[in-house]
């Protein structure tokens, strides 16, 4: 059974850094891509970036380029979202989701969100 679990949220000051983790169960990145989504308060959920089975990164949002990066561990079962130079507008709930085959593939499984608050 395909499952994803998100962790690592918290409170951070503007300009700070935070790393989120997404742990995959029942599958690996061999067949799926893994995408991160952000839902700001009162806004719709939006994709921000994704890593494919071939380790290619797709950015869905230009606003995170140069600040956020995505990576995986050697087992291809943990995906990290490294967030640097955080801004107040990065506040919100972050979700990871498994996408079938590519970063444009069908969304197959959502993890529970983790709250990130950027505040002084």
């Amino acid at each position: 059974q395909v499952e994803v679990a998100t962790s690592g949220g918290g409170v951070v000051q503007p300009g700070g850094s935070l790393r989120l983790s997404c742990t995959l169960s029942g599958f690996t990145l061999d067949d799926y891509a893994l995408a991160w989504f952000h839902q700001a308060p009162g806004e719709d959920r939006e994709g921000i970036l994704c890593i494919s089975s071939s380790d290619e990164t797709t950015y869905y949002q230009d606003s995170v380029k140069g600040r956020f990066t995505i990576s995986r561990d050697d087992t291809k079962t943990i995906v990290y979202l490294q967030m640097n130079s955080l801004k107040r507008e990065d506040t919100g709930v972050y979700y990871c989701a498994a996408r079938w085959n590519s970063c444009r593939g069908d969304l197959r499984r959502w993890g529970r969100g983790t709250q990130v608050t950027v505040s002084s």
Side-chain angles (χ1 to χ4, degrees):
Q1 186 173 0
V2 173
E3 300 287 348
V4 293
T6 315
S7 62
V11 180
V12 62
Q13 292 186 343
S17 298
L18 205 60
R19 189 177 78 165
L20 306 183
S21 299
C22 182
T23 302
L24 288 52
S25 300
F27 72 106
T28 72
L29 289 177
D30 286 334
D31 297 312
Y32 288 81
L34 197 288
W36 285 95
F37 290 77
H38 171 233
Q39 186 166 19
E43 303 290 333
D44 292 335
R45 192 178 304 182
E46 295 183 327
I48 48 177
L49 75 170
C50 174
I51 187 167
S52 72
S53 59
S54 57
D55 289 338
E56 293 182 13
T57 297
T58 296
Y59 282 91
Y60 301 131
Q61 296 289 334
D62 289 342
S63 62
V64 303
K65 286 183 178 179
R67 301 190 300 123
F68 291 10
T69 57
I70 191 169
S71 63
R72 61 160 178 87
D73 75 329
D74 289 342
T75 67
K76 297 186 179 181
T77 60
I78 304 176
V79 175
Y80 302 103
L81 176 64
Q82 179 66 43
M83 304 186 292
N84 299 325
S85 303
L86 282 161
K87 304 176 181 180
R88 286 183 171 82
E89 51 263 42
D90 296 320
T91 292
V93 181
Y94 285 76
Y95 300 86
C96 60
R99 307 196 77 145
W100 173 245
N101 190 244
S102 79
C103 288
R104 299 296 178 187
D106 293 341
L107 289 160
R108 292 292 181 91
R109 183 69 71 187
W110 288 93
R112 297 179 68 176
T114 186
Q115 175 71 40
V116 172
T117 301
V118 184
S119 173
S120 54

